[in-house]
Amino acid sequence: MNAPLHHELPPSGLDPVRALDQVTRQWDTDILRQLTDYVAIPAKSPGFDPDWAAHGHIDTVLRNAATWVEAQKVDGLTLEVVRLPGRTPVLFFEVAATRAAASSAQTVLMYGHLDKQPEFSGWRADLGPWTPKYEDGKLYGRGAADDGYAVYASIAAVQALKAQNVAHPRIVGLIETSEESGSRDLLPYIDALRTRLGDVGLVICLDSGAGNYEQLWLTTSLRGMAAGTLKVQVLTEGVHSGDASGLVPSSFRIMRQVLDRLEDSQTGRLLPEIFHCDVPAQRLEQARATAAILGDEVYKRFPWAHYDCGGATAFALPTTTDPVQALINRTWTPTLSVTGAEGLPALQDAGNVLRPYTAFKLSLRLPPLVDAAQAVQRLKALLEDNAPYQAHVTFEPFSAATGWNAPDTVPWFEQALHRASQAHFGAPCGYIGQGGTIPLMNMLSEGFPQAQMMVCGVLGPRSNAHGPNEFLHVPYAKRLTAAVAEVMAAMP
Ligand SMILES: [Zn+2]
């Protein structure tokens, strides 16, 4: 990608060429190796590893990150691993401001997480979740991109400022280890650390996505989520299906009926109105601009099933091929995914048995402005009440988090993003909503309504966080690191 044509210093005083040089060297000589070690450790989020404390992996990755941060000897940095009883730990660091008192009142809050999604299946034969492999600028394996790199990139950005003696505001960092479980341990830490966070004027959250790898992308919204287990039980044990079927209702059929209350299976539309919200006009406008940049890559980037159909190759199709609608569908529309099942034997073990129960793990994504706690309440009543055949139908919530819509950007922030994107990518900053969830963002926007939110990330096309063959796009991560330094330097 292009270096800037005019090598002149922006108002921030940070030389972008030198900054990118420095972070590139740091990534190549050190950070990549740290993340390679990180991938090998199965630091699964507590929701997927109830014995996380005994296994010790969460502690190992947190300790490794803390040791690395301390070894950087960043001027004015202090660090602490904070542990509340019975909760996953967090890493908290503070870097003193280097600006005159008058302009240093506000704080930058950097955020990331070190817990990981579980393994999932379908990894390429030479790859695996805990088997790091670096190939063509990509570090494969679970968690490097989501979101192990964040703490390393954040500190490297601070170091880039220090190396050029660029004055910066007070900076704090909060690195948690329960994000992939809906950040269920985070709120008590925010409460405990509230006074030490200070007056947050800028949040830098490196746990999000990118529309492509050709420019800086600012996340404008996130969906919320509500997850839980829906179980339908009709018998206490399985019985001969020839003996019982037709008389004993199938738990699977009741499951379908119950799910039909929630979702129109023809269109995928979730039926309760409280799961929907309007798309703000500005977001629609931004979706149009982003659709013009990305075109049909918006849906082509997915690994669609394909097969031979009368000599031609047929592909499974998306819900829409209109790029604007596609962007809206994945960011402002509520959806249901069934992410797991129980009560169903593997195909090879399935005899002619009328099974006693069917259980599904449901994962709902909620539009940015829908309250997740209310949605869960509604969901439980909708699924459990008036069960067909008086079957035993239960919904046990697993996690819930409200989505987020970014506050309006102020001029210095918008200009800094564009300058950073031009300097490091030679293209303007893009704006995109993301369909995933970062529970912290809603908490922060409520706690610091005036703060600007630099929510960015490396999860671009095919990076496949949560699925098989997850990778960290290292060239993008380097430029993003330098862009973070640029924005921090520009904060008034
Ligand atoms: Zn994440």
Side-chain angles (χ1 to χ4, degrees):
M1 272 156 255
N2 314 331
L5 295 175
H6 307 289
H7 188 180
E8 58 192 37
L9 290 189
S12 67
L14 186 74
D15 180 337
V17 177
R18 276 179 63 200
L20 183 59
D21 269 0
Q22 168 166 341
V23 302
T24 298
R25 222 173 314 119
Q26 200 174 358
W27 269 92
D28 290 339
T29 59
D30 191 0
I31 295 177
L32 194 54
R33 203 177 51 221
Q34 299 295 328
L35 292 174
T36 303
D37 292 346
Y38 170 78
V39 165
I41 302 167
K44 284 192 277 187
S45 199
F48 308 104
D49 183 6
D51 293 329
W52 63 269
H55 289 152
H57 302 309
I58 293 265
D59 278 299
T60 303
V61 292
L62 198 74
R63 194 173 56 241
N64 290 352
T67 304
W68 181 86
V69 172
E70 278 184 324
Q72 304 311 301
K73 304 208 182 313
V74 176
D75 210 18
L77 183 144
T78 56
L79 170 154
E80 187 184 337
V81 172
V82 189
R83 290 170 197 279
L84 294 174
R87 301 198 179 273
T88 49
V90 305
L91 176 62
F92 184 71
F93 62 80
E94 299 184 62
V95 189
T98 58
R99 286 181 181 170
S103 64
S104 63
Q106 289 210 305
T107 297
V108 178
L109 169 58
M110 307 183 108
Y111 166 80
H113 67 88
L114 286 163
D115 57 312
K116 308 183 185 188
Q117 281 280 317
E119 296 85 345
F120 207 73
S121 54
W123 290 77
R124 218 172 71 191
D126 60 326
L127 299 175
W130 323 125
T131 323
K133 182 166 186 175
Y134 186 65
E135 179 185 286
D136 295 336
K138 301 180 184 93
L139 176 60
Y140 286 90
R142 178 65 80 229
D146 181 15
D147 181 46
Y149 84 102
V151 57
Y152 298 93
S154 295
I155 293 293
V158 176
Q159 288 173 287
L161 299 179
K162 296 281 189 191
Q164 294 188 36
N165 280 317
V166 171
H168 63 77
R170 180 170 176 271
I171 300 166
V172 300
L174 181 62
I175 309 299
E176 64 151 320
T177 54
S178 73
E179 198 277 344
E180 301 293 1
S181 308
S183 290
R184 63 191 196 188
D185 291 338
L186 188 57
L187 204 50
Y189 283 107
I190 301 250
D191 286 342
L193 295 168
R194 172 122 10 213
T195 54
R196 293 168 70 185
L197 295 181
D199 175 19
V200 176
L202 171 66
V203 174
I204 295 172
C205 168
L206 298 181
D207 186 28
S208 192
N212 58 28
Y213 298 109
E214 318 300 323
Q215 59 208 105
L216 181 63
W217 288 92
L218 182 73
T219 301
T220 54
S221 65
L222 296 159
R223 283 194 289 192
M225 78 128 28
T229 301
L230 176 61
K231 183 172 180 180
V232 176
Q233 182 139 22
V234 289
L235 294 171
T236 56
E237 59 189 28
V239 294
H240 194 304
S241 63
D243 179 25
S245 66
L247 178 56
V248 177
S250 146
S251 62
F252 189 81
R253 183 165 66 81
I254 296 172
M255 176 68 86
R256 288 170 58 191
Q257 241 180 300
V258 170
L259 287 179
D260 277 348
R261 300 170 178 179
L262 175 62
E263 181 198 47
D264 178 341
S265 62
Q266 293 293 313
T267 62
R269 183 181 167 83
L270 294 202
L271 298 172
E273 272 315 309
I274 80 152
F275 292 176
H276 293 260
C277 74
D278 290 335
V279 184
Q282 187 195 15
R283 297 289 174 248
L284 203 52
E285 206 47 57
Q286 287 165 336
R288 288 196 187 99
T290 299
I293 296 170
L294 300 178
D296 54 16
E297 257 308 294
V298 172
Y299 57 88
K300 286 201 167 150
R301 66 195 173 90
F302 292 106
W304 296 101
H306 50 92
Y307 49 95
D308 184 75
C309 181
T313 304
F315 284 83
L317 296 172
T319 54
T320 176
T321 54
D322 170 41
V324 177
Q325 193 58 48
L327 286 167
I328 296 297
N329 282 7
R330 62 181 283 281
T331 54
W332 284 89
T333 311
T335 55
L336 168 65
S337 302
V338 176
T339 57
E342 257 179 35
L344 295 153
L347 296 179
Q348 179 159 338
D349 307 324
N352 294 320
V353 177
L354 196 142
R355 298 172 299 99
Y357 74 92
T358 303
F360 284 174
K361 180 91 159 271
L362 306 185
S363 166
L364 274 75
R365 295 289 172 176
L366 302 168
L369 304 176
V370 169
D371 183 271
Q374 279 176 22
V376 168
Q377 243 176 20
R378 177 82 183 89
L379 192 58
K380 191 167 169 66
L382 183 79
L383 299 171
E384 288 185 350
D385 291 355
N386 302 313
Y389 302 100
Q390 232 168 276
H392 191 204
V393 177
T394 53
F395 178 73
E396 293 301 331
F398 170 73
S399 69
T402 300
W404 172 77
N405 185 37
D408 289 341
T409 49
V410 297
W412 78 260
F413 182 54
E414 191 151 343
Q415 285 159 18
L417 290 168
H418 279 287
R419 206 164 49 232
S421 190
Q422 287 293 354
H424 297 301
F425 297 92
C429 179
Y431 295 87
I432 192 165
Q434 292 295 345
T437 308
I438 309 173
L440 173 74
M441 292 314 300
N442 184 265
M443 301 178 201
L444 286 180
S445 272
E446 283 180 357
F448 304 100
Q450 303 304 320
Q452 295 292 288
M453 304 282 180
M454 183 180 183
V455 181
C456 295
V458 294
L459 301 178
R462 296 175 210 281
S463 56
N464 218 25
H466 299 204
N469 311 326
E470 173 181 346
F471 67 72
L472 171 68
H473 193 291
V474 175
Y476 192 82
K478 290 171 178 171
R479 289 168 199 275
L480 177 59
T481 306
V484 167
E486 174 65 37
V487 173
M488 277 198 292
M491 188 181 170

